[in-house]
Structure formats: structure tokens, C-alpha cells
Amino acid sequence: MCASESFRTSGKFRVNAHHKLIDVWLLALCTACGATTKLTVMERMNVRAIRSELLDRLHDNDPALAAELLQDPVVLRRNRIALDWDNAWRLDTGGSDHRDSEVIDVSVHFAAPIPVRPVRLIATGFGLSRAEVDRLIADGKLISVVRLNGKISSDFCFMLKR
């Protein structure tokens, strides 16, 4: 296997039973060479301890389950991996429709709990520098009930005053 540290999941699981014990891996492919690696999901678990619905989803290679497990801190820690969220989000500002507005109300909705710094999202979405966004916050022209300088992964709103 190559020394690459970048993988993408195939969305397929490998389930291996040893009498009453079961191992489960999520298969991932190296983005450089295509080699397969296994991300440990369960190790030596008693088969009876696993809900039948979960076992069915594993056997069916459920892509939603793969996405859930890739966000599970236990799975991430066990496999010593971190997800790369670069380019996983965007802020659709509606183009130039808002250019003449005095106040712009924006609601941000997450399809998945992807951690992002609102300041970065706002800067990119409105074509501003991060320093300009920080200035808007300091001047009270960018207002939100959430802290815009920290990371957030749930829905939030903000108001931009011109």
C-alpha cells in the first residue's frame, strides 16, 4: 500500500463472523493509487448485541449508514482519521439580488453536521476577506445569536446591515 493519507469510502461494508463474534469494517479506497483499506467499525462484538436492523443495513451496504459512521467520533478515533471538509459547503447568497438591500437576513441550513467557521462561510459567500467580516462583527453590522468566530455544525441565522 502507498503512503497516502487520503481515502474515500466505497460505501461498502465487510462483515466477518467468527462463531458468536463479529467484525465489521467500512471499506475505503486510497485516492492516490486506489488500494483498498478497512476502517474498523466493530471488533469482536457478540452477534446478539447488534440490533437486527443494524445488521441488515450493514449487509445491504447502506450508504446512509456509511455516512453516519464516518461522522461517529468513536469510529474516527479508533481508526485515527479526520474527515476533510474542504469544499463540502457553500453559501448561496442569491447572486446580486441583495446588493441594494439595507439589511440582509440569512438562514444557514446544514444537510449534514459539517463543522464550519461561520466567518469563513460568510466571507466566501459574500466575496469578502475574513478581516472585513471581523470588522463587520466589531462594528455591529453582522449580527447573530451564535458565535460567528467559532466552529458550528448546526443551523444558524445572521443579519448583515449595510
Side-chain angles (χ1 to χ4, degrees), residues 118-139:
V119 168
R120 182 177 174 198
L121 183 68
I122 294 165
T124 304
F126 285 98
L128 304 169
S129 71
R130 298 227 354 231
E132 288 175 293
V133 174
D134 287 335
R135 258 191 311 278
L136 289 169
I137 293 170
D139 294 345

Side-chain angles (χ1 to χ4, degrees), residues 3-72:
S4 174
E5 294 181 5
S6 181
F7 298 90
R8 62 181 168 79
T9 181
S10 67
K12 297 191 184 301
F13 294 93
R14 174 153 184 232
V15 180
N16 195 6
H18 309 278
H19 304 288
K20 295 179 182 178
L21 302 178
I22 194 168
D23 292 323
V24 177
W25 300 278
L26 176 60
L27 301 179
L29 304 171
C30 173
T31 56
C33 70
T36 302
T37 190
K38 299 183 292 188
L39 303 176
T40 302
V41 175
M42 295 178 199
E43 242 177 347
R44 302 289 184 207
M45 291 277 298
N46 189 311
V47 175
R48 291 184 183 189
I50 302 171
R51 297 183 330 270
S52 62
E53 180 252 6
L54 175 59
L55 204 50
D56 289 343
R57 290 177 74 191
L58 291 166
H59 285 294
D60 293 340
N61 293 313
D62 184 340
L65 178 59
E68 288 172 33
L69 290 171
L70 283 172
Q71 296 175 49
D72 184 339

